[in-house]
Amino acid sequence: MSACPSLEIAVTSPAAARTARENGADRVELCTGLELGGLTPSTATVEAAVESGPPVHVLVRCRPGDFVYDGEEVALMTAEVRAALRAGARGVVVGALTPDGALDTKALAALVAAARDTDPAAQVTLHRAVDQASDPVAAVAGLPGLGITRVLTSGGAPTAIEGAAVLTAMATAAPGVDVAAGGGVRPGDIAGLLAAGAGSVHLSAKSRATPRRAAGWVPLGAGGTSAEDDAHFVTDGTVVAAARRALDTAAGRREGARSAPR
């Protein structure tokens, strides 16, 4: 676990990356389609976010739904890994499972190799596919052997604070892996997540954008149930700032407890 816990914000645009930076984020995870759990952003979006924000890690997920991929999908994601790193990203966030819920080590090895070949210094994070694994703790324990140094996880629960006990087990099972707590995280959860062993925290800090349309509206897809709900998300700087304060306060308390005379 990192000695200095860090704050990561999930963002979907260069403007959001800039908002995250200005309000205290240490890095961003860039994606598109937050309402789908996140998908791979375009190369142009990566380039612009790198210019406007803090260090960028790019989510590489070629489609919504499960994390069981065929060979063509893995080949596409390896190309996306290379493109993201060539566009200036510092890391990539990947994941793949077998139908029975184990890590797909063959697919992950291909993704890690693509990252290392493109940028040997790139950090590779296992994304929340781990939360749908049949044994999330065992999956995390196997990450060092795959060259993966970080995992983004809710501990297999709907929210990270609900999965705190599993986060502790993950940190114990893989002491060299940064356990990044993510999934429904609120600033008020941060102290508890650090106490559970998280080395970093991840949240979207999002709110719905006000629609700009002035004309009529018709549904364009399965998610378009109303004009009010048919909107994209933006990063809320006040939430990012609150998370920064909560992280710094909790980290300071933890450091003070470590240095206190015994």
Side-chain angles (χ1 to χ4, degrees):
M1 182 177 64
S2 171
C4 297
S6 59
L7 176 64
E8 178 178 271
I9 303 297
V11 302
T12 59
S13 70
R18 187 165 54 251
T19 297
R21 179 198 66 200
E22 291 170 349
N23 287 278
D26 294 301
R27 65 176 167 267
V28 298
E29 182 197 83
L30 182 67
C31 65
T32 189
L34 268 178
E35 66 279 7
L36 300 173
L39 300 171
T40 310
S42 71
T43 300
T45 301
V46 177
E47 290 172 343
V50 166
E51 289 294 322
S52 65
V56 173
H57 288 199
V58 172
L59 176 65
V60 175
R61 182 181 177 216
C62 65
R63 59 162 172 77
D66 63 46
F67 301 103
V68 181
Y69 299 110
D70 61 28
E72 186 174 15
E73 290 170 325
V74 173
L76 173 60
M77 289 190 292
T78 59
E80 290 176 331
V81 164
R82 295 188 184 98
L85 295 174
R86 288 170 181 157
R90 299 277 190 88
V92 290
V93 187
V94 301
L97 299 175
T98 63
D100 60 357
L103 291 181
D104 185 339
T105 55
K106 182 178 179 181
L108 289 171
L111 294 166
V112 171
R116 297 284 178 255
D117 290 346
T118 307
D119 179 1
Q123 184 173 52
V124 180
T125 298
L126 178 69
H127 61 48
R128 291 193 60 201
V130 70
D131 294 323
Q132 295 187 9
S134 54
D135 187 339
V137 175
V140 171
L143 294 183
L146 293 168
I148 297 175
T149 57
R150 186 168 176 268
V151 59
L152 174 61
T153 176
S154 66
T159 67
I161 198 66
E162 292 175 88
V166 176
L167 296 179
T168 301
M170 288 175 170
T172 300
V177 173
D178 174 18
V179 176
V185 173
R186 301 291 183 266
D189 300 330
I190 288 174
L193 294 170
L194 295 187
S200 55
V201 293
H202 167 106
L203 60 157
S204 58
K206 67 181 183 292
S207 60
R208 285 189 181 274
T210 301
R212 300 170 185 170
R213 69 177 71 87
W217 177 87
V218 294
L220 300 177
T225 56
S226 70
E228 292 73 23
D229 290 339
D230 186 15
H232 64 288
F233 290 108
V234 294
T235 297
D236 187 333
T238 62
V239 178
V240 179
R244 179 78 260 171
R245 291 192 297 271
L247 184 67
D248 290 345
T249 298
R253 288 173 180 166
R254 185 171 68 176
E255 185 60 32
R258 285 177 176 170
S259 59
R262 298 182 183 275

